[in-house]
Amino acid sequence: MKRPAVLLAVFLFAVTAALITYRVVRLEYPLFPASAVRVWQLSIEGLVEAGQKEMDVAISLPYTHGGQTVTEERITSGGLDFTLLRQGVNRSGEWSGKTGPAGAVIGYRAIVLLKPSKSSRTRPMPAGPYPPSFSEGDRELASRIADRWSRLPVMDRIHAISATASGKWGDPAPDPSDVKMWSKVTARVGRATALQGLFRAADLPAQVTHGLILAESVTRETVRMVEAWTGTHWAYIEPDTGTVYEKSLSFLPLTTGDISPVRVSRGSVPEVRWDLRQQVVSQWSVYFDRIRQPDKLLNRWSLFSLPPEFQATFRILLLVPIGALMVCILRNIIGFPTFGIFMPVLMALAFRSTGLDYGLAIFTGVILVGYVMRSVLDKLHLLLVPRLSVILTAVIGCFTFLAVLGNKLGVRELMAVGLLPFVILTMMIERFFVIVEEAGIQEGLRNAAGSAAVAAITHAIIHIQTLQLTFFVYPELLLALAALQILLGRYTGYRVSELVRFRALRKE
């Protein structure tokens, strides 16, 4: 190999290594892609009545905190103005404006990743004030009742207080007169607020929250809970039954502080629905949601900053150089015969939609039909450009027939043939015919089989999700690919197929 090619390749490798090292060390990117995880997709949809001159509705939205990450948020405004509001840890979406004669549909969608906190250390937290609805007498009564639990461990204290919601006061029970008075307080302020007051009297931080039980469901009402601080995490208590959920991951909080999740100040929203569905996604898509915060140069210019609909396109584009590298290796090192470079790569990308089995079958069928068509055209002695136009028309006709057949049979893969590179197929039919005429049918089939094999191998490699994510997160790896292609371009040694073919001469 010549020295300039080696130096250029080394330079490209060094730039790639420097950029990746900076991302990993300074920007805290993960070095290796994480495995897929289960997340929750939350959809909120509200119907705004028609004919309202002005309307104003706020809906509480999930927020990111210690064990909960909210990503990929989408807003449906229905022609209304949307504003994101923050009040402490709470977040709300506010839709306002005028509705048309058909009304409006407002909506919100997000992916929520829930994971347990890594830290198990006890963190002190102030108990906070009593609920505003508590009078001085209510506070004294709550302190008198809670004094009997003051020496219990935190979790035992939480369970003991929560049991009072179902009328279980433990042994020994409080004074009957105190229990009777507390029943009146509960009837006046509500079960949730009453429990919050007892937790405060027992010196435990607590607050009322609204949210959703984590289960696949569609509901028109959120769940009201009381959450109490255990020292390491929040435990959730159902105020009607006193059931304690010690694992906070079983509940998705939307608001804290007893704020209603839907607040309508003007207009009418007769129905709001919350839809929870579980999905499996890559942890990287969740982790790199923070890249959208433009605090660093490489974050601002990350591919994750693109709109989601364009991200999918570039995930495919980044696979093309990988496919080209595979063609270089399989042709120049192994010795696979192929119809050029671009055809196997484009075929491998097209097989992503048709599937490998259907794709190879369609590829074989179109080549055979095209060859028969080309043989007929050869007798007409047409010029090159008109001949290729006729073959192109025949290829499009085959695609159209397969799409209609797939629709009738309910086979989606046949309807995806439009993604196959029909121009490349047209040129390949022409080249296949020429090779058959000049070198025989065996050589033509060898090139067709080699192209199909290279496309199949490339298809298998570019479908490795880890590889896709790696190049999407670290696009500088394209420089390393270019370096490898340069080094391969200077290779002039024997191919593996040639070593096998001429093994008899090597023995002599």
Side-chain angles (χ1 to χ4, degrees):
M1 296 184 183
K2 293 186 178 180
R3 185 178 179 85
V6 177
L7 292 178
L8 178 57
V10 170
F11 173 75
L12 293 176
F13 281 130
V15 172
T16 302
L19 289 174
I20 292 178
T21 301
Y22 176 77
R23 289 182 189 268
V24 173
V25 176
R26 296 297 301 275
L27 302 184
E28 299 180 351
Y29 282 32
L31 183 58
F32 299 104
S35 59
V37 293
R38 292 188 178 275
V39 299
W40 291 94
Q41 177 181 283
L42 171 64
S43 300
I44 305 175
E45 186 177 273
L47 176 63
V48 182
E49 286 187 347
Q52 300 180 31
K53 296 182 178 179
E54 291 289 340
M55 62 84 60
D56 192 346
V57 57
I59 300 178
S60 295
L61 307 178
Y63 49 88
T64 297
H65 61 273
Q68 175 177 301
T69 302
V70 181
T71 68
E72 300 185 25
E73 296 181 284
R74 306 283 184 273
I75 301 298
T76 302
S77 60
L80 303 173
D81 296 328
F82 175 80
T83 306
L84 183 62
L85 305 177
R86 295 180 181 272
Q87 183 179 1
V89 297
N90 293 325
R91 291 197 319 151
S92 299
E94 183 179 276
W95 287 264
S96 59
K98 298 180 180 180
T99 61
V105 176
I106 57 177
Y108 168 86
R109 177 174 294 182
I111 297 296
V112 182
L113 170 66
L114 299 175
K115 55 183 179 180
S117 177
K118 295 181 180 180
S119 175
S120 59
R121 294 177 297 175
T122 300
R123 290 178 286 170
M125 181 178 291
Y130 279 93
S133 57
F134 265 49
S135 64
E136 186 66 30
D138 296 339
R139 298 174 188 175
E140 293 178 358
L141 175 60
S143 297
R144 200 161 56 244
I145 294 175
D147 183 64
R148 55 199 297 273
W149 300 310
S150 60
R151 295 178 179 82
L152 294 177
V154 173
M155 283 309 304
D156 291 343
R157 219 182 312 167
I158 291 176
H159 280 278
I161 295 174
S162 302
T164 64
S166 58
K168 300 177 182 178
W169 292 92
D171 188 22
D175 187 274
S177 60
D178 287 345
V179 174
K180 186 176 181 180
M181 292 174 61
W182 187 253
S183 299
K184 295 180 179 179
V185 172
T186 301
R188 189 180 78 249
V189 302
R191 292 179 181 271
T193 305
L195 275 180
Q196 182 185 1
L198 277 182
F199 281 121
R200 169 61 185 86
D203 201 27
L204 290 174
Q207 56 191 7
V208 179
T209 183
H210 291 261
L212 300 168
I213 299 294
L214 286 175
E216 293 199 0
S217 61
V218 178
T219 180
R220 290 177 173 81
E221 293 183 357
T222 59
V223 177
R224 195 183 191 195
M225 290 277 195
V226 177
E227 52 182 5
W229 184 248
T230 67
T232 58
H233 63 275
W234 291 102
Y236 292 90
I237 301 96
E238 286 187 355
D240 293 331
T241 63
T243 304
V244 179
Y245 297 91
E246 295 186 22
K247 294 182 178 180
S248 58
L249 297 185
S250 60
F251 184 76
L252 175 64
L254 298 176
T255 67
T256 58
D258 203 14
I259 300 174
S260 175
V262 179
R263 303 173 295 282
V264 181
S265 57
R266 293 182 297 176
S268 176
V269 182
E271 181 181 82
V272 177
R273 292 185 299 175
W274 290 266
D275 187 348
L276 270 177
R277 290 288 180 268
Q278 201 169 37
Q279 294 183 340
V280 178
V281 301
S282 166
Q283 279 189 359
W284 271 27
S285 63
V286 176
Y287 181 88
F288 282 100
D289 184 68
R290 65 182 182 83
I291 288 178
R292 296 187 178 93
Q293 302 173 5
D295 54 340
K296 300 292 183 180
L297 177 63
L298 290 183
N299 283 352
R300 291 198 300 269
W301 290 90
S302 167
L303 291 175
F304 282 90
S305 63
L306 297 175
E309 59 270 21
F310 294 110
Q311 290 186 23
T313 301
F314 278 90
R315 289 197 183 197
I316 297 175
L317 288 179
L318 290 174
L319 302 181
V320 175
I322 303 175
L325 176 64
M326 289 308 306
V327 173
C328 292
I329 294 174
L330 294 173
R331 275 178 59 97
N332 291 35
I333 304 299
I334 307 300
F336 276 71
T338 64
F339 291 122
I341 296 176
F342 299 106
M343 194 285 297
V345 177
L346 294 177
M347 294 297 294
L349 293 175
F351 290 166
R352 298 176 70 250
S353 298
T354 62
L356 183 59
D357 295 337
Y358 281 96
L360 290 176
I362 294 170
F363 166 78
T364 303
V366 171
I367 290 295
L368 293 178
V369 171
Y371 176 75
V372 173
M373 177 68 70
R374 177 64 177 82
S375 300
V376 174
L377 294 177
D378 189 57
K379 300 177 181 179
L380 300 179
H381 303 290
L382 300 180
L383 297 176
L384 176 63
V385 175
R387 185 171 67 243
L388 290 177
S389 300
V390 175
I391 296 175
L392 176 63
T393 303
V395 171
I396 297 297
C398 289
F399 285 2
T400 304
F401 171 76
L402 289 173
V404 175
L405 180 64
N407 181 53
K408 294 295 183 182
L409 299 178
V411 181
R412 179 197 173 280
E413 289 80 4
L414 293 179
M415 292 184 279
V417 293
L419 297 175
L420 291 173
F422 55 86
V423 175
I424 299 296
L425 277 176
T426 301
M427 300 301 297
M428 190 181 62
I429 291 171
E430 177 70 17
R431 188 169 179 180
F432 177 73
F433 180 83
V434 172
I435 292 177
V436 170
E437 291 295 312
E438 294 179 352
I441 186 65
Q442 184 177 358
E443 185 64 22
L445 292 177
R446 282 185 67 251
N447 280 267
S451 299
V454 172
I457 295 172
T458 305
H459 172 269
I461 292 175
I462 65 179
H463 267 70
I464 301 175
Q465 187 181 20
T466 299
L467 192 64
Q468 297 177 13
L469 287 172
T470 301
F471 274 80
F472 191 78
V473 175
Y474 300 116
E476 55 268 22
L477 286 172
L478 291 177
L479 299 177
L481 280 181
L484 290 174
Q485 291 162 348
I486 290 172
L487 296 177
L488 285 173
R490 299 300 304 171
Y491 177 74
T492 56
Y494 290 104
R495 299 173 180 175
V496 174
S497 61
E498 292 172 341
L499 294 176
V500 175
R501 180 182 178 185
F502 300 111
R503 62 183 179 277
L505 294 176
R506 186 177 58 180
K507 291 178 181 179
E508 293 179 0

